Amino acid sequence: MTRPRLASTVVLLRPDASGEFEILLTRRPRQMRFMGGFYVFPGGTVHDNDYSPRVLERCRGLSADQAQQILDNRHPPEVALGHWVAVVRELYEEVGILLCEAESGGPVDPRAEKTKARLELKRQAIVKEELGFEEFLESEELHCDLSRVVYFFHRVTPEFYPMRFDTRFYIATLPPDQVPLPRSEEVTESLWISPEEALARAYGDDFPILPPTTTVLAELAQLRTWKHLLSVYGLDMKADRQ
């Protein structure tokens, strides 16, 4: 039996003009070994560096003990907090969204062309493993804002699969003034879509989605409105940042 690897996945959300909400789905390149060609939420394996002392010093909004309690005390405190860090890192690697704040506590504003270009070069370097995530945070004087990342769902790949993951799902709202990359090294397409529409298109000829993605979509589809979503998952404190 293959031992599952620890992983984190994030459902990124934004309100729409009608008072409802959309989620971000990304399509993996067909040649990828795991879920190639399928639409998924951004995410990936929790790395050892995600809970290194240097990275954890660059985290705000959640303590290691709090993270351990939220994950039912199944991991040491630092490893538990690393699940949240993995969300921040993977979201940045795959679609260029930074769930971070500046040294001062203010929001990240990547709109300036020079800033955008510099951050994109560093994102590419992280993906190529030429730059560590901890080095990136230090060089940009950024802190992971873990208060934006809310635990949502847990799923372990069944034993009969050759590649298995022990995955924690999270939800987060899109930070202001940030736009996901339309494609990247691990994404052939990214799109905003309502959970209802995604479920309606699931299993179509060119919209392949599998559980647990469909399970998460079905859960979110029941909420309907942005206001209801924020209330149910305690995202009210982050909503005023939209």
Side-chain angles (χ1 to χ4, degrees), residues 21 195-196 199 215-225 228:
F21 61 90
E196 296 89 347
L199 285 170
T215 306
V216 173
L217 290 171
E219 181 75 19
L220 292 175
Q222 299 179 47
L223 301 178
R224 294 288 181 178
T225 70
H228 191 193

Side-chain angles (χ1 to χ4, degrees), residues 90-190:
E90 289 283 350
L91 194 60
Y92 184 53
E93 288 183 9
E94 293 188 18
V95 293
I97 295 298
L98 272 172
L99 299 182
C100 291
E101 63 181 22
E103 196 82 48
S104 64
V108 176
D109 186 354
R111 289 175 295 176
E113 287 303 317
K114 287 186 178 180
T115 301
K116 184 186 299 184
R118 184 181 71 251
L119 291 176
E120 173 57 16
L121 287 174
K122 290 187 177 182
R123 185 198 67 80
Q124 294 175 20
I126 294 171
V127 173
K128 296 174 183 176
E129 299 183 355
E130 298 171 351
L131 177 70
F133 190 56
E134 69 280 7
E135 296 171 309
F136 164 71
L137 294 172
E138 292 167 355
S139 67
E140 292 294 324
E141 298 185 330
L142 296 175
H143 291 262
C144 298
D145 183 3
L146 303 186
S147 69
R148 297 193 68 96
V149 183
V150 176
Y151 179 62
F152 174 66
F153 179 74
H154 182 210
R155 176 66 178 262
V156 180
T157 309
E159 295 181 2
F160 56 82
Y161 282 90
M163 185 177 291
R164 302 181 64 216
F165 294 93
D166 182 341
T167 307
R168 301 288 182 163
F169 286 74
Y170 299 83
I171 56 178
T173 58
L174 177 69
D177 304 320
Q178 295 196 44
V179 179
L181 296 170
R183 64 189 61 83
S184 69
E185 298 84 353
E186 300 178 67
V187 174
T188 59
E189 176 191 5
S190 63

Side-chain angles (χ1 to χ4, degrees), residues 45-56:
T45 304
V46 178
H47 297 165
D48 291 348
N49 285 345
D50 290 331
Y51 46 90
S52 71
R54 286 177 66 185
V55 166
L56 297 188

Side-chain angles (χ1 to χ4, degrees), residues 190-242:
S190 63
L191 77 158
W192 290 103
I193 189 171
S194 71
E196 296 89 347
E197 183 181 353
L199 285 170
R201 293 176 61 184
Y203 311 113
D205 291 340
D206 198 37
F207 205 81
I209 303 180
L210 290 175
T213 305
T214 50
T215 306
V216 173
L217 290 171
E219 181 75 19
L220 292 175
Q222 299 179 47
L223 301 178
R224 294 288 181 178
T225 70
W226 178 248
K227 184 177 180 180
H228 191 193
L229 171 79
L230 297 178
S231 175
V232 168
Y233 292 107
L235 288 161
D236 305 72
M237 294 298 293
K238 297 127 189 111
D240 59 2
R241 304 185 195 182
Q242 295 295 318

Side-chain angles (χ1 to χ4, degrees), residues 27-73:
R27 192 168 194 177
R28 294 170 64 83
R30 295 184 184 276
Q31 66 269 23
M32 294 190 79
R33 181 183 173 195
F34 182 73
M35 298 289 283
F38 282 83
Y39 284 94
V40 297
F41 302 116
T45 304
V46 178
H47 297 165
D48 291 348
N49 285 345
D50 290 331
Y51 46 90
S52 71
R54 286 177 66 185
V55 166
L56 297 188
E57 286 177 1
R58 286 276 159 183
C59 292
R60 293 174 177 171
L62 186 74
S63 72
D65 289 338
Q66 289 171 326
Q68 182 186 45
Q69 292 175 9
I70 293 171
L71 299 189
D72 300 320
N73 298 306

